[in-house]
Amino acid sequence: MRTRGVMTAVMVFLLTGMLGAGAQAKTLSDFFKEKEIDVSVSASMEYYSKYVWRGMLLDDDNVFQPGVEVAVENFTLGFWGSWDAESEDSRSSDEIDGYVDYSFDLGFLGTDFEKLGMSVGHTWYTFPETDLNAQEYYIGLSLDTFLSPALTWYHDYSDQASGGADGDYLIASIGHSIPLLEEYGLTLDLGQE
């Protein structure tokens, strides 16, 4: 019950903040246009039959996973959550995460590096039902070409007693996005990790 209240409060806070931002969007929009600052806001709500993270089954129940991101130039600040749509297993997997990311291309090193991108960031994981948490930072490289190959190294530096893994994780991935309805931003995204 406590987690449902926390998750409801977080969702109300995020939605209220997004609606409130919309009410002042003209003023903010004018400021950002005047300063020539690129800003975007996005939100998502996903539904899955199971919660699998980095190859580990975290929840056998159906889950809702909402998220919201604010990107200002190369910086991104985001919040993401996962909670049970049903409680048919004994796992306590409700989760609220926050992250910050800075992504840029390496073109300043010369024209040979213009298609090479780098991301550095930090993620805070919290699990309200268990009072556990974890933190990790990451560094990633990507190539702006067909299949967009990328390699990202994650380092969890929190101890296991608090819920961390105190270890490293490496992901290699490829993917391709096919525009379906460009005016609505609808794409078909294919990928493999």
Side-chain angles (χ1 to χ4, degrees):
M1 185 67 163
R2 178 176 163 244
T3 302
R4 295 281 186 255
V6 169
M7 296 304 290
T8 302
V10 168
M11 289 307 299
V12 168
F13 173 76
L14 291 175
L15 290 173
T16 304
M18 287 168 43
L19 294 173
Q24 297 184 16
K26 186 173 196 281
T27 306
L28 289 174
S29 175
D30 291 343
F31 172 79
F32 291 131
K33 282 181 186 175
E34 181 181 300
K35 301 292 182 184
E36 296 182 4
I37 298 172
D38 234 358
V39 176
S40 65
V41 177
S42 62
S44 64
M45 175 60 84
E46 298 172 347
Y47 179 83
Y48 295 98
S49 61
K50 295 181 184 334
Y51 178 15
V52 178
W53 179 76
R54 296 183 182 169
M56 296 180 289
L57 178 65
L58 297 185
D59 200 326
D60 214 15
D61 290 329
N62 295 326
V63 293
F64 286 106
Q65 297 182 338
V68 63
E69 278 189 350
V70 177
V72 179
E73 296 291 331
N74 295 3
F75 287 96
T76 301
L77 174 66
F79 295 94
W80 180 90
S82 180
W83 72 85
D84 283 344
E86 56 189 12
S87 295
E88 309 226 352
D89 65 13
S90 61
R91 300 173 193 256
S92 300
S93 66
D94 290 354
E95 179 178 342
I96 304 169
D97 304 338
Y99 56 92
V100 62
D101 176 271
Y102 180 69
S103 296
F104 55 97
D105 70 57
L106 299 174
F108 64 89
L109 296 174
T111 55
D112 293 340
F113 295 94
E114 286 179 351
K115 292 190 173 206
L116 188 60
M118 178 175 266
S119 293
V120 294
H122 192 277
T123 305
W124 295 266
Y125 300 93
T126 58
F127 307 95
E129 287 185 347
T130 60
D131 294 325
L132 297 174
N133 61 73
Q135 299 85 33
E136 73 180 5
Y137 59 81
Y138 61 88
I139 299 171
L141 291 173
S142 60
L143 190 58
D144 185 13
T145 186
F146 181 69
L147 294 182
S148 306
L151 186 65
T152 307
W153 169 63
Y154 298 87
H155 177 67
D156 184 329
Y157 61 89
S158 45
D159 63 59
Q160 293 177 349
S162 69
D166 191 23
D168 300 290
Y169 191 80
L170 188 65
I171 295 179
S173 64
I174 56 172
H176 187 67
S177 186
I178 302 167
L180 297 178
L181 294 171
E182 289 187 35
E183 63 271 18
Y184 298 107
L186 184 62
T187 62
L188 174 63
D189 299 315
L190 307 170
Q192 180 65 44
E193 290 184 348

